[in-house]
Amino acid sequence: MKNKFLLSLLLLVVLEVAAQDKDTYFITPKNDTIIQKDGVDYLIQLFKINRSQEKIQNKKINFSFFPTDARNAGERVLVSSFNATFLLGDKSNTNNSTIYLIPYISFNKQYGIELYPTIWLKENSWNFVGEYFALNFPQDTWGLGGNTPESNETLVDGKQIRFHQNILKGIFPNLAVGLGYQFDQHYELQIKDSNINTDNPEFPEATTGKSISSGLSLPIVYDNRKNIINPQRGFYSSFTYLYNSPALGSDNKWQSVFLDVRKYFSIPYARSVLGFRSYYWSIVSGKVPYFDLPSTRSEPITGMSSRGIQKNRYRSNAMLFFESEYRFNITQNGFVGGVLFANTTSASEYATQHFKHWQPAIGTGVRLKFNKYTKVNVALDFGISKDYASVYLNIGEAF
C-alpha cells in the first residue's frame, strides 16, 4: 500500500494539499447536491488508496511538485515548482501561508533557482513576504519606451542575484504596514547581439558590465481575501515605496513607487469569479540601472501578469497595467474549469513618463482542480498579442 501511495504521488507529481476549506460540494438551483472532485480523489480511486477524506481534509501542511513556468525564465525552459501551503492560526482569521521553490534550466543557457515565501502568523499579526533568486540569465531587450520596434531585439548575457524581504505588522483588521530591504545585483553583463545603441546613456551597464541596487522599502497592504491562492471574493491593495542609496551599497540614489489593486466578485449560481487587477509602477527620481527599470513580466508582485506579452518586451521609467479575468467551472463536479482574460500594458515615454502607447493581449486557459479544500488549481493558459503568443503552465491563479 505504501508503494502504491508513493507511485501515485509521482505520477500526479503532487503531495497532498492542506485542508483549509470544507466547502466540498455544490448546491444546484434545483437543490441537488454535487460532490466536488480533485486530483487527489482521482488518484485514490485509480490506485485504490485507503485514505479517508477526513484524514486528507485535516492535513496541516501540504507539499506539491509540478512542472510550471519560472517567472524569470524565457523560452524553451524546463521547470519544476515545489510548493508548500500551511496555516499558522485559525482559518477564520488567518490567511494561508505559501512557499514556492522553483529550480529551472532551459535550452538557451538559462538556469537558476527562485524562492517566494509568503508567511502569515496567527490572526495575521505579522506577514513575511520574500523574493530570492540566483540566475544565469541571458535575456532579450528592446530599448526604452512603449512602442519599441521588434527589430530592436538585443540579446544580453549576464547573471543576477536578488534578495527582497518585507516584514509587515497587522495594525487593523486586514491592514498591515512594514519595512523591508531590497538588493539586486546584475553582473558579467555582456551584449551578445546588439540592435540598439550600446552608447545609450541610459544603458551604462553595456560598458561597466554590472550594477547594484540596494535600498529600504516601506510597504502598506490591505487584504480581506479569505483565500490568497485562489480568491473567490474580496479586495487587495498594496503600496510600496522604495529608497535606494549609496549609503546602503547601491550604485546610485533612486526612488520608486508601486501600487497594486485587485478586486474579486463571486457569482454563486454560476459558480464563477470575475477578477480585476491594475498596477502603477514608477521611478520617482534618480538614476536607475537599466535592468532594474520597470518592464513587462518583472513586476514586484505575487502571481503572473502580462500574459501574452513577451518578458521585458517593454521597458521604461513608468508602467501602467490593467487586467480582467473570468473564471468558471466546466464540469459539474468542479474538477475542470476555464478562464478568459484580457489585459493591456503601457510603458511610458522615457523623457516625459507620459503613457502614449498601449499593448493589449487576450487569452484563455484550462483549470484542473488540484485540491478542493484549498481551491488550488493547475493552470494552463494561452495568451496572444500583436507580435507574440505563449503558453503558461502554473500552480494557482495568475492573480
Side-chain angles (χ1 to χ4, degrees), residues 124-129 166-170 176-179 219-221:
N124 292 341
S125 57
W126 290 90
N127 181 210
F128 301 86
V129 182
N166 285 335
I167 301 175
L168 296 99
K169 170 63 178 175
V177 298
L179 180 67
I220 303 174
V221 175

Side-chain angles (χ1 to χ4, degrees), residues 329-350:
N329 283 288
I330 295 176
T331 60
Q332 282 194 329
N333 64 8
F335 179 62
V336 181
V339 301
L340 298 171
F341 63 87
N343 62 65
T344 184
T345 305
S346 181
S348 68
E349 301 307 293
Y350 190 83

Side-chain angles (χ1 to χ4, degrees), residues 189-228:
L189 296 173
Q190 184 178 3
I191 294 179
K192 293 293 187 180
D193 182 14
S194 178
N195 293 305
I196 59 176
N197 183 7
T198 58
D199 295 327
N200 186 340
E202 308 306 336
F203 191 13
E205 296 94 316
T207 54
T208 64
K210 61 181 181 178
S211 71
I212 293 179
S213 292
S214 178
L216 298 178
S217 60
L218 299 174
I220 303 174
V221 175
Y222 179 88
D223 189 358
N224 68 359
R225 302 171 299 172
K226 297 302 181 183
N227 186 332
I228 63 175

Side-chain angles (χ1 to χ4, degrees), residues 226-296:
K226 297 302 181 183
N227 186 332
I228 63 175
I229 301 173
N230 184 3
Q232 303 297 295
R233 61 182 63 84
F235 178 77
Y236 168 89
S237 179
S238 68
F239 175 83
T240 303
Y241 166 76
L242 176 62
Y243 175 80
N244 289 272
S245 171
L248 297 169
S250 185
D251 288 342
N252 305 310
K253 179 180 178 180
W254 59 274
Q255 304 170 71
S256 70
V257 294
F258 184 84
L259 175 65
D260 182 18
V261 178
R262 311 177 190 189
K263 177 64 178 176
Y264 307 86
F265 297 92
S266 177
I267 308 174
Y269 286 107
R271 302 197 332 250
S272 59
V273 174
L274 184 61
F276 298 92
R277 172 172 62 176
S278 179
Y279 74 72
Y280 173 68
W281 187 11
S282 176
I283 303 303
V284 176
S285 66
K287 176 64 177 176
V288 184
Y290 183 85
F291 287 113
D292 291 334
L293 285 167
S295 65
T296 50

Side-chain angles (χ1 to χ4, degrees), residues 20 85-87 94-98 118 120 227-229 374:
Q20 310 299 343
T85 303
F86 50 94
L87 190 66
T94 306
N95 291 341
N96 289 333
S97 296
T98 62
T118 301
W120 292 91
N227 186 332
I228 63 175
I229 301 173
T374 58

Side-chain angles (χ1 to χ4, degrees), residues 88 178 193 230 244 293 314 344 362 366 382 391:
L88 297 178
D193 182 14
N230 184 3
N244 289 272
L293 285 167
Y314 301 100
T344 184
I362 60 173
V366 175
F382 173 76
V391 174

Side-chain angles (χ1 to χ4, degrees), residues 348-362:
S348 68
E349 301 307 293
Y350 190 83
T352 63
Q353 285 201 357
H354 293 167
F355 296 102
K356 184 178 179 181
H357 302 282
W358 291 90
Q359 309 297 338
I362 60 173

